[in-house]
Amino acid sequence: MKKGLYFSPIILACIFTLSVIGCGEDDSVEIQSVDPPDASAIAADTTITVSFSAPPQNLTVSKGEVTTSDNTATISGPFPLGKLDIELTWEGGNRRLTYTVKDKVGEPVVPEGMVLIPEGEFQLGSISRDAGNVEQPGHTVYLNAFYMDKYEVTNADYKKFVDANPEWQKGTIASGFHDGNYLVNWSENTYPSGKANHPVVSVSWYAAAAYANWVNKRLPTEAEWEKAARGGVEGQRYPWGNSIDDSKANYSLNVGYAGSTTPVGDYPPNGYGIFDIVGNVLEWCLDTYDKDYYDDPPNKNPVAGPDSIEVVVENFKNITSSRALRGGSWVEGGQPRVWITYRRGNEPARTSHLIGFRCAKSVAP
């Protein structure tokens, strides 16, 4: 009697299953690479290339247009500026890609109302022999790129700040942050009629620093201020050249009967597109005023005083040392108080009808 082969129901079920799905094989389609890489910055017209382990079936994307060829998919824009999330879905899989879309990849997006001052060396404190009988050799210093406000902060700008921050209003500011004449030309919380676009004056260094923090900026260092004021030209007394010119700036009581501030932007800009960088009002700077500091400054990103930019910004209310002022005002004559290189300082609580400010901002690495 021959013995037949015997298969249990369990063994038969396993054989049938293996014949259908294979011996442990995974047929899922997966992404192998993405170019540009996920989480990077891209331009609006970038084409994104995605490589799969096998041809993706029924691939769709939430943003852009997609085409496929074998194992490769290309996603094209144009894409909107800002954060970009692209959902990819195909049979058996999905993936989200995230990018930051910029105007020009590799170049910072300049904040509204500011200009980019490029990184590099310049001659700090330099006045060439061509400027006349006074020659200052200057010092070669390197500055990282930064942004500078095109205009001085106006009354209208500053009112938005005090409306949003009552502790900096005229009637409530802490006594330690001013000298008793804070916003002396304002009536309570209202600036003078007809002067919305004039630079705000009679603000202390503390108040200027507080405003700058509120708008996510800071005050410029003296070195930054001077580089910005030069407009890309070395060795000159003024942003426009070496001769004083009352058509180029508001100085020496040359406006009206007795002189006054003028609306920001009334005079021509310098080579960087910055207005009223000399004249109109003196401008607070971030760093300590040290009359000897620029005799031999550090050759990279000089900041006078013991503290870094970051420490001053974060702890501005605790500052007690004098602060630098630059630029001359509507009262002062052009020789030399309106020169680009002219330096002075005052106590951080000081206010004056000659003093205002503009803001700067570091370029993110």
Side-chain angles (χ1 to χ4, degrees), residues 156-234:
D157 295 329
Y158 200 75
K159 179 169 173 54
K160 294 176 184 177
F161 164 65
V162 295
D163 284 347
N165 300 273
E167 68 274 22
W168 292 99
Q169 291 178 4
K170 183 175 180 177
T172 56
I173 184 174
S175 60
F177 295 150
H178 69 110
D179 60 2
N181 291 312
Y182 175 67
L183 297 179
V184 68
N185 61 331
W186 286 39
S187 176
E188 296 183 348
N189 200 34
T190 303
Y191 52 78
S193 176
K195 292 200 171 184
N197 206 35
H198 285 238
V200 65
V201 295
S202 297
V203 287
S204 65
W205 181 88
Y206 295 113
Y211 173 93
N213 279 2
W214 183 66
V215 294
N216 195 29
K217 299 178 185 179
R218 58 174 174 79
L219 297 176
T221 67
E222 269 201 273
E224 288 174 335
W225 187 96
E226 185 173 322
K227 182 173 182 179
R230 290 186 178 279
V233 179
E234 300 285 3

Side-chain angles (χ1 to χ4, degrees), residues 225-269:
W225 187 96
E226 185 173 322
K227 182 173 182 179
R230 290 186 178 279
V233 179
E234 300 285 3
Q236 297 185 155
R237 292 178 177 178
Y238 310 103
W240 57 83
N242 290 317
S243 298
I244 194 66
D245 185 341
D246 63 9
S247 72
K248 301 290 179 63
N250 176 16
Y251 66 93
S252 195
L253 305 172
N254 64 3
V255 174
Y257 176 73
S260 71
T261 58
T262 48
V264 300
D266 261 15
Y267 292 88

